[in-house]
Amino acid sequence: MNIVCAKEPSPENKEGQAGRTDVGRLLMEAKRGSAQAFSDLYLIYAPKIFRYVFFRVNHRQEAEDLAGDVFVKAWENLPRFKFKSNRAFTAWLYTIARNRLIDFRRTSKQHTRLDEHDLRSDQSDPVLEIERTQIVREAIARLPDNYQEIIILRFMEGWTVKELAPFLKKGEGALRVLQHRALRRLREILGQEEVI
Amino acid sequence: MSVMKLDDALEQAIEELDRGLAIPDVTAKFPSWQTELTVLLAMATGIKEQGALQPREAWLRDTSERLASLAPPEPASKRRRAPRISRFVAIFATSLVVAVAGFFIFSDQLVMDTPRSQAPRLADEGEERRGQNLEDSYAPETGAAKEQGVEQTIQDLEDSLEELDIANEELVLPELDFDINP
């Protein structure tokens, strides 16, 4: 099978016209019932959703399961999704992911944050072999939920404060304060370690 | 000159960083917050690097295949819930129609009995009673006639059935005489 995840788009506001058309066309086809078109959309958006979930549950296997669930849920609810823009579709996916995480945390007794064993179990992944990466990941996992969200979406995924405001249902001023506090808190968790 | 709040300075500094400026160049633009911004921007840059994390290819492939094989989802229902206010209007209108219809149907009974209004009704009742008396007095004769009529009808039906049987026998097709496997 041809994996096309390499064409992961940059944030939609910076995305080229071709990318927009491509996602829009795939969405229309998927809305008409094409599972193949939706599968192609998945390959575009899966890395983003995976990262969002992964940095919040801090466990690769669980992140994969949850991210997979997000797309199944999205597929089931796609007929009810009203396409306005790629950004709206991205935000919709993140909303599903966020709700799935809430369900997961509610039902899962074994909240895997800071599970030392899990952190070390990713040693096979070359990206995560670097100890620094593990420490930062651990620190992010220790943050409160709202700090995690702004750290992941603002800094990893490149959303602007303006784009984040409707998604996080906060004003831009409040988000500027939040991102400052989140970074400061992360710094406190990392302590004096010169990891960053 | 008023000093910019750190929250706002940080936001502007992050935007500068996104445009490709180096941390020292950015912090130089905000001398009041240079130390704080240096730490926070280094943090932001470090987090950004984490965004390079990619899921496993095997997982991508497996989930992609799983999604491609899913049945089409249930189409969204076209029916929409009527807005609350419209439902109230509908309920009110229906009640009004029922009330008006009920008024017209039962309005006869609502007319008060007066000697003038009683006269035609009493006349009708008297006529009905006389008719009933006549019917009762001729009951034996009419009963016999009814019985005779029923017997005649039964006889007619039996004759018709017999005729139908005969016609049916005539209609039976002769046996088909050919080989279905030539």
Side-chain angles (χ1 to χ4, degrees), chain A residues 10-48:
Chain A
S10 54
E12 278 72 359
N13 57 327
K14 300 169 187 97
E15 195 175 329
Q17 187 62 41
R20 251 198 303 276
T21 313
D22 205 32
V23 170
R25 182 182 55 78
L26 287 172
L27 253 173
M28 288 302 117
E29 282 177 28
K31 270 177 80 70
R32 283 196 286 266
S34 167
Q36 186 54 54
F38 188 73
S39 172
D40 291 345
L41 278 173
Y42 157 81
L43 291 171
I44 294 171
Y45 286 96
K48 289 168 179 289

Side-chain angles (χ1 to χ4, degrees), chain A residues 123-143:
Chain A
Q123 296 269 337
S124 58
D125 190 333
V127 180
L128 302 174
E129 273 175 13
I130 310 161
E131 192 185 2
R132 192 184 70 139
T133 306
Q134 287 176 346
I135 294 168
V136 174
R137 202 177 69 187
E138 187 178 336
I140 292 171
R142 278 192 195 176
L143 291 171

Side-chain angles (χ1 to χ4, degrees), chain A residues 108-166:
Chain A
S108 172
K109 296 287 173 207
Q110 40 180 3
H111 190 182
T112 51
R113 265 189 193 186
L114 305 177
D115 186 328
E116 217 37 50
H117 172 74
D118 291 331
L119 283 170
R120 304 299 167 211
S121 68
D122 278 324
Q123 296 269 337
S124 58
D125 190 333
V127 180
L128 302 174
E129 273 175 13
I130 310 161
E131 192 185 2
R132 192 184 70 139
T133 306
Q134 287 176 346
I135 294 168
V136 174
R137 202 177 69 187
E138 187 178 336
I140 292 171
R142 278 192 195 176
L143 291 171
D145 281 352
N146 54 346
Y147 287 2
Q148 281 181 355
E149 279 197 316
I150 201 160
I151 289 283
I152 296 166
L153 297 175
R154 177 79 176 96
F155 300 110
M156 283 185 207
E157 303 303 335
W159 289 37
T160 62
V161 165
K162 196 175 178 182
E163 289 164 344
L164 274 170

